Amino acid sequence: MTEKAVETLTEAEARAELARLAEALAAANTAYHTLDAPEISDAEYDALKRRNLAIEARFPGLKRADSPSDLVGATVAEGFGKVPHRVRMLSLENAFAAEEVAEFDDRIRRFLGLTGEVSYTAEPKIDGLSLSLRYQDGMLVQAATRGDGEVGEDVTQNARTIADIPQRVTGDAPQVLEVRGEVYMSHADFAALNDRQAAAGDKTFANPRNAAAGSLRQLDARITASRPLRFFAYAWGELSAPLATTQSAAIARLAALGFQTNPLTTLCDGPEALLDQYRRIEALRATLEYDIDGVVYKVNDLGLQARLGFRSSTPRWAIAHKFPAELAWTELLGIDIQVGRTGALSPVARLKPVTVGGVVVSNATLHNEDYIAGRDSRGEAIRGGKDIRVGDWVQVYRAGDVIPKVADVDLSRRKDGSQPYVFPEICPECGSPAHREEGDSVRRCTGGLICPAQAVERLKHFVSRGAFDIEGLGAKQVEMFFKDPILPVKTPADIFTLAERDANNPLQKLKNREGFGEVSAAKLFAAIEVRRTIPLDRLIFAFGIRHVGEVAAGLLARHYTNWEAFETAITRATPGTPDWAELTSINGVGEVMAQSLVDAFQNPAERAAIDALAAQLTIQPVQARGVVDSPVAGKTVVFTGSLEKMTRAEAKARAEALGAKVAGSVSAKTDLVVAGPGAGSKAKDAERLGIEIIDEDAWLRLIGG
Ligand code: IVH
């Protein structure tokens, strides 16, 4: 259908068009919701919606009383709005074995310096997706997905359609109340939804979790409304007043406010009681009407939770004890080698498709060459030393959402004449030698950026969500441009010269290509232009340097705050230099990560790519964290001697939470030394350097108790 561009419509045409669109969208809705027989695709539906909005934007006076755009708010045109989480949404550390649960309890008691038993809550780990609900004066005002933990997606309209989520809480609530929990779908609702989808010729979902996620993240809230989602509350974010003094009382309070809380939540004293409850919940698992994938343990005393605090992305006071993975046997048809962003050669098992825990699996990871050969990284036998060969019957397992793995091999079914698998020592993509470093289980292609597989994977990472996140430039487009003879993109900097190169090309313009048009080419260039200004943390993450993930990139950016300082420091940092000492003193930055960063910045080819990119960009500085409201923010503190009111680990964690840097030794950069009884040479060094020395009580007064 050729439509007249919105900009060229006359008022009369616009009025007629709005009437047509209102009718078409109403018909589409009836077909979808009432008749369960969609007549147009989601994309066509969205296109109609967008056109309707665009016309209304141009002729606000013509907006109809029954305008389709009112039903879903303003999110239709731009996708979901972004919601920064005022309190980060974290994930949980996992435990699989009973010993790990004992270690968890040990670690907590050591950290807090407790000898007695700690009380915990134990509750099912719901296999859904987490959601944060913000209430102001008791009214639901915003719902957001977890996103990357810092910024989520605004799904308020969608959340309003979920019956378990109160629009208004019952009874007295803190003025600001952020309730967190899990959105999920019951088994029966999941089966019924898939039946409906199949009958309508729509895609079916692999499991209830995917169905819940797909249903919540709908641009049209009416689709969410037609999908029966549920919600369990189990945590909270920002609060203007505490809910209670214990986890269990806080959960009871949420229940009283009108939220569904899980009835299997119990209080357990010590690790043995936790394991008992784990076994009880595991035995009930098959009878529950929803999927769970483990049991979550949380320290019950909220005062202790606060003292324990957080690591970079998980709380110290909670752990998820996962159920064993689901298993199946199938035939290994072949082994492919994939070359990743950092050059790692990863063996991938091509399997005869098999259902594992409700999901059809045809690929699984084989980890590395030792794993295939039946050895661990120290050369000790695994699987009783059995190797894995093409043609073998292998056991495949999945734990939660992670990539399926090959666990075991059935030698009794091994075919005659089968040969051990020979792992390549040459990169299958570029022919460069693939080396293994001493102590590393991974063989890596040494081609660096000359290896097309590494280069293209780096580019995919570069445009990915936590990095540059360029609209219209995803993995598929990156692969296309990488191979493009006219507008090639081989390095990140090439992305930012794309528009100019296209403009200067007299012949084949992007807009004339198949798959592109005037509008989509212009849109792509505009989306790239938007990202020419980029915050420092995203840029550091986007480099895709080994060991430097999103969390580390954030730590580095907040430490150095701007590009010049970061770039100068990393260029100069070699072991032994003050810049190296500073880099490795950042909490969360170890020597391995530091070396990897320094290697990247000091390798000529890598450096050329980084410099070429930086020259194209405006790099925004990042605010240092914890600069507000703390007398020790930005100060470098050294603890020495024994502390009496808290353990060294707790003291360090608290100081860091208040924005201080905690160093292991005294230097001219030290601002403050906290010395307990038995303080030795460090206190002397401090005296010599004229650095302030205080005792533990004075420190506690300084940081407010
Ligand atoms: S507590 C600060 N409790 O598991 C930690 N999480 O693997 C807050 N989940 O992102 C989470 N059931 O989406 C908690 N009973 C439960 C849970 C639960 C499921 C999810 C949640 C979290 C993920 C971490």
Side-chain angles (χ1 to χ4, degrees), residues 64-207:
R64 298 166 59 94
D66 64 349
S67 163
S69 48
D70 277 348
L71 298 165
V72 285
T75 53
V76 185
E78 357 29 49
F80 295 105
K82 300 249 187 288
V83 179
H85 295 300
R86 290 179 221 212
V87 174
R88 269 193 312 151
M89 283 184 88
L90 299 166
S91 57
L92 293 170
E93 188 194 349
N94 288 329
F96 291 93
E99 300 83 73
E100 295 172 69
V101 177
E103 273 164 32
F104 164 69
D105 173 66
D106 257 4
R107 230 181 303 135
I108 285 176
R109 287 184 299 120
R110 271 204 312 274
F111 186 95
L112 296 169
L114 297 178
T115 44
E117 224 159 48
V118 175
S119 268
Y120 300 93
T121 56
E123 67 200 64
K125 184 169 189 296
I126 315 298
D127 200 3
L129 68 151
S130 46
L131 183 69
S132 186
L133 303 169
R134 191 176 178 85
Y135 290 81
Q136 246 149 16
D137 300 312
M139 298 291 295
L140 176 63
V141 293
Q142 189 162 61
T145 62
R146 189 176 109 122
D148 63 2
E150 306 257 2
V151 179
E153 285 174 328
D154 185 340
V155 290
T156 313
Q157 301 307 328
N158 311 48
R160 286 192 196 284
T161 70
I162 299 175
D164 284 348
I165 295 179
Q167 301 289 318
R168 168 192 282 281
V169 298
T170 48
D172 242 13
Q175 199 226 338
V176 174
L177 166 67
E178 225 183 281
V179 177
R180 291 177 177 177
E182 203 84 352
V183 173
Y184 66 99
M185 193 178 280
S186 77
H187 293 148
D189 289 336
F190 165 69
L193 171 63
N194 263 357
D195 286 349
R196 275 194 282 146
Q197 294 283 107
D202 278 342
K203 76 166 191 157
T204 56
F205 296 98
N207 52 46

Side-chain angles (χ1 to χ4, degrees), residues 306-364:
R307 283 176 59 191
L308 285 158
F310 305 93
R311 304 178 201 91
S312 59
S313 65
T314 55
R316 286 195 191 83
W317 44 264
I319 200 164
H321 188 179
K322 304 288 280 283
F323 293 134
E326 319 221 33
L327 303 169
W329 287 88
T330 189
E331 206 179 332
L332 177 62
L333 303 177
I335 297 177
D336 287 351
I337 300 291
Q338 276 177 2
V339 182
R341 168 165 66 81
T342 59
L345 266 48
S346 306
V348 178
R350 300 289 172 221
L351 304 165
K352 193 161 157 205
V354 62
T355 306
V356 188
V359 174
V360 178
V361 169
S362 47
N363 301 316

Side-chain angles (χ1 to χ4, degrees), residues 371-374 382-388 408-411 414:
Y371 190 82
I372 298 176
I382 52 170
R383 294 187 301 272
K386 292 179 282 185
D387 70 331
I388 295 173
D408 203 359
V409 50
D410 184 351
L411 290 188
R414 177 163 284 173

Side-chain angles (χ1 to χ4, degrees), residues 42 76 237 297 324 351 362 381 499-500 535 564 602 634 689:
D42 287 359
V76 185
Y297 309 141
L351 304 165
S362 47
E500 193 190 333
E564 290 68 31
Q602 293 173 2
L689 291 165

